[in-house]
Amino acid sequence: MASQPQRGGGGNDRNRRDNRNAPVDGPDSDIVEKLVHINRVAATVKGGRRFSFAALMVVGDGKGRVGFGHGKAREVPEAIRKATEEAKKTMIRVPLRENRTLHHDGNGRWGAGKIMVRAAPPGTGVIAGGPMRAVLETLGVQDVVAKSSGSSNPYNMIRATFEALKVQSSPRTIASKRGKKVADLMGRRNDGASAPEAAPEAVES
């Protein structure tokens, strides 16, 4: 009879531990995680071969922040956890036009990996494959055209994609550096990636 309260107490402790580890509302509550690649690595030791796993993860908030990381462990869940933690620590912010596409075209290269990304008009969708698609979707891009012309190694493709995203600049940043107004720069844009809108000056005149 005395053992029943003890079992009940143990269950309550487990429930408290589960609640403590459950996701809560906070800055990381809206983070999207995607597993890009997982590789089994074998190391030859004195007693035979020892296996471990390497995971490549991409995380983003869908609002202009994205990061990637890789982790290695003896078990797959632990490797994914390490990769996710590293990805969250190395997130970068990329300016998005109209919260759906990039501001301008870009190229990235890392090792033998070479990629190209282009801004696209509304309704295009995410035209990209493999690791590039995971990065762009977690970033929050809805319309983009991307192409890889180099190595298909996922690590090189991910790093090359981030190199292309790091050079993205918004018109506000360029205008402040050049001492001009944003309207002066936007008036010269003719890449078709923006939705057709009438110029305010034309409407007023």
Side-chain angles (χ1 to χ4, degrees), residues 33-35 37-38 51-59 67-91 155:
E33 305 172 359
K34 288 196 175 185
L35 176 62
H37 182 72
I38 189 163
F51 294 96
S52 59
F53 297 89
L56 178 62
M57 293 287 297
V58 172
V59 302
F68 77 98
H70 62 276
K72 187 177 179 181
R74 297 290 298 273
E75 301 293 337
V76 174
E78 182 66 14
I80 294 177
R81 185 190 65 81
K82 290 182 178 180
T84 303
E85 290 183 354
E86 180 181 344
K88 291 180 179 179
K89 293 178 181 178
T90 59
M91 294 180 70
Y155 290 88

Side-chain angles (χ1 to χ4, degrees), residues 24 127 195 201:
V24 296
I127 302 180
E201 294 82 358

Side-chain angles (χ1 to χ4, degrees), residues 60-194:
D61 61 357
K63 301 175 183 178
R65 295 178 64 222
V66 66
F68 77 98
H70 62 276
K72 187 177 179 181
R74 297 290 298 273
E75 301 293 337
V76 174
E78 182 66 14
I80 294 177
R81 185 190 65 81
K82 290 182 178 180
T84 303
E85 290 183 354
E86 180 181 344
K88 291 180 179 179
K89 293 178 181 178
T90 59
M91 294 180 70
I92 63 173
R93 181 169 295 278
V94 181
L96 300 179
R97 189 201 309 183
E98 301 170 3
N99 295 325
R100 61 167 188 83
T101 189
L102 303 176
H103 280 284
H104 55 82
D105 302 347
N107 296 284
R109 181 169 183 173
W110 187 277
K114 294 183 292 184
I115 68 100
M116 177 270 297
V117 290
R118 300 190 65 179
T124 303
V126 180
I127 302 180
M132 291 187 299
R133 186 180 188 90
V135 174
L136 296 171
E137 286 182 345
T138 54
L139 176 62
V141 177
Q142 302 175 12
D143 303 298
V144 69
V145 177
K147 182 176 178 61
S148 173
S149 58
S151 171
S152 60
N153 183 298
Y155 290 88
N156 287 345
M157 292 181 66
I158 289 288
R159 289 186 171 93
T161 304
F162 271 78
E163 290 298 314
L165 295 177
K166 287 179 181 179
V167 299
Q168 289 288 319
S169 299
S170 64
R172 186 186 302 274
T173 303
I174 299 299
S176 62
K177 290 182 179 179
R178 298 176 59 184
K180 295 181 177 294
K181 296 181 179 179
V182 178
D184 297 338
L185 301 180
M186 298 297 290
R188 301 175 184 176
R189 174 166 279 166
N190 191 25
D191 57 2
S194 296

